[in-house]
């Protein structure tokens, strides 16, 4: 097998503020396509929350794929934002169509500040009974549960506003043994300036707890749009690193945005 050509590597920080670390993505802009095994090998070496590969089809359209250290990620919110930022560095354009294995995403890069925004189809959730395994999974029980997406989609579990989400313990073993869905834990925010808080867990897919999760924000924008009857949101992710995510609901679509900076 011929060696992989040296690739230009971009380290991008996403969803950070002066007080919150956000998360990172490694982005490679490819001149020619790579095999899935080559991309997974590179991502395993990077060990980043997301390693992203852009293969440009035209001036404003690209194929993109995402990997963590162990798995391919079908749709990575912060990876999409990072890819758009890198593309804007190369091209005289601020809008792009990003073709992922799951869907085509429109992305816009701001000229005025560090904000990047992506458009996704809404992913509504529906209320269900709290599963029996929840009593073994959490040190503090949830008050409500919902499902979003297919069997490999998401649990959305809500806690009272008085609960300190950063004190919530989640048993990864119980999750792996009982569901293939990722888990989003959320609550109406108790912090001024934020509408809701959340955390994200997907040990079934190699993510014990994510630092900052655009795909979870996509689900929660629809969820809290139904709960609060509003369209514009700012959210705080209560990972150890912390993150700030902004979003809006417009005509059945969700727009996810946040600060995105290429690390020099």
């Amino acid at each position: 097998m011929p060696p992989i050509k040296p690739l230009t590597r971009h380290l991008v920080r996403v969803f950070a503020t002066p007080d919150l670390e956000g998360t990172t993505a490694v982005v490679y802009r490819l001149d020619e396509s790579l095999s899935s095994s080559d991309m997974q090998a590179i991502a395993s070496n990077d060990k980043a929350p997301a390693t992203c590969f852009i293969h440009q089809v035209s001036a404003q359209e690209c194929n993109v794929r995402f990997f963590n250290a162990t798995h391919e990620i079908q749709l990575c919110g912060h990876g999409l934002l990072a890819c758009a930022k890198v593309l804007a560095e190369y091209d005289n354009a601020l809008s792009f169509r990003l073709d992922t294995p799951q869907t085509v995403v429109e992305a816009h890069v701001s000229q005025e500040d560090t904000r990047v925004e992506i458009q996704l189809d809404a992913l509504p959730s529906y209320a269900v009974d709290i599963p029996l395994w929840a009593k073994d999974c959490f040190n503090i029980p949830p008050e409500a549960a919902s499902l979003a997406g297919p069997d490999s989609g998401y649990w959305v579990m809500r806690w009272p506003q008085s609960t300190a989400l950063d004190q919530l313990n989640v048993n990864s073993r119980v999750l792996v043994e009982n569901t293939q869905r990722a888990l989003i834990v959320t609550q109406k925010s108790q912090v001024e300036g934020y509408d809701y808080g959340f955390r994200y867990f997907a040990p079934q897919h190699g993510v014990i707890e994510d630092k900052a999760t655009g795909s979870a924000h996509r689900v929660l924008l629809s969820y809290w749009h139904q709960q609060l009857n509003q369209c514009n949101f700012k959210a705080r992710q209560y990972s150890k690193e912390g993150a700030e995510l902004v979003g809006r609901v417009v005509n059945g679509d969700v727009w996810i945005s946040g600060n995105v900076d290429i690390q020099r």
Side-chain angles (χ1 to χ4, degrees), residues 12 14-15 23-25 49-50 52 76-83 118 210 212-215:
V12 186
V14 185
F15 298 136
T23 189
T24 56
C52 314
C76 179
H78 88 273
L80 285 162
L81 294 168
C83 287
I118 57 173
D210 201 14
T213 320
S215 59

Side-chain angles (χ1 to χ4, degrees), residues 22-67:
T23 189
T24 56
V26 174
V27 179
Y28 296 98
R29 192 170 182 266
L30 306 178
D31 294 325
E32 55 190 49
S33 59
L34 292 177
S35 69
S36 297
S37 58
D38 282 342
M39 287 187 277
Q40 184 63 74
I42 293 168
S44 297
N45 185 63
D46 282 331
K47 296 182 175 63
T51 297
C52 314
F53 299 90
I54 306 171
H55 187 216
Q56 199 146 2
V57 177
S58 65
Q60 290 178 282
E61 186 166 357
C62 306
N63 293 324
V64 294
R65 291 176 70 181
F66 316 98
F67 295 79

Side-chain angles (χ1 to χ4, degrees), residues 20-208:
L20 303 172
E21 291 183 27
T23 189
T24 56
V26 174
V27 179
Y28 296 98
R29 192 170 182 266
L30 306 178
D31 294 325
E32 55 190 49
S33 59
L34 292 177
S35 69
S36 297
S37 58
D38 282 342
M39 287 187 277
Q40 184 63 74
I42 293 168
S44 297
N45 185 63
D46 282 331
K47 296 182 175 63
T51 297
C52 314
F53 299 90
I54 306 171
H55 187 216
Q56 199 146 2
V57 177
S58 65
Q60 290 178 282
E61 186 166 357
C62 306
N63 293 324
V64 294
R65 291 176 70 181
F66 316 98
F67 295 79
N68 63 25
T70 59
H71 292 71
E72 182 168 8
I73 307 166
Q74 292 302 303
L75 189 67
C76 179
H78 88 273
L80 285 162
L81 294 168
C83 287
K85 189 74 169 184
V86 169
L87 285 165
E89 287 282 299
Y90 282 92
D91 301 308
N92 187 27
L94 295 171
S95 296
F96 304 94
R97 285 172 56 85
L98 305 177
D99 191 351
T100 78
Q102 194 174 92
T103 188
V104 177
V105 176
E106 184 178 340
H108 300 292
V109 179
S110 173
Q111 281 184 303
E112 285 74 36
D113 54 29
T114 60
R115 190 66 54 85
V116 179
E117 188 173 47
I118 57 173
Q119 180 186 22
L120 294 166
D121 294 336
L123 188 59
S125 55
Y126 58 93
V128 296
D129 292 336
I130 297 170
L132 293 177
W133 51 260
K135 62 183 174 56
D136 299 317
C137 194
F138 310 110
N139 61 321
I140 306 169
E143 66 178 4
S146 297
L147 296 177
D151 290 343
S152 57
Y154 306 88
W155 280 100
V156 180
M157 296 195 190
R158 191 180 74 235
W159 269 258
Q161 193 174 7
S162 58
T163 302
L165 280 193
D166 57 355
Q167 299 300 309
L168 180 68
N169 296 329
V170 177
N171 188 316
S172 295
R173 177 186 56 78
V174 173
L175 277 180
V176 171
E177 290 176 353
N178 287 278
T179 182
Q180 279 302 300
R181 292 176 180 270
L183 170 68
I184 304 169
V185 307
T186 190
Q187 67 179 172
K188 188 176 186 297
S189 181
Q190 54 185 301
V191 178
E192 186 177 356
Y194 292 105
D195 298 291
Y196 61 84
F198 72 102
R199 294 169 68 186
Y200 177 85
F201 305 84
Q204 313 92 325
H205 309 294
V207 181
I208 302 302

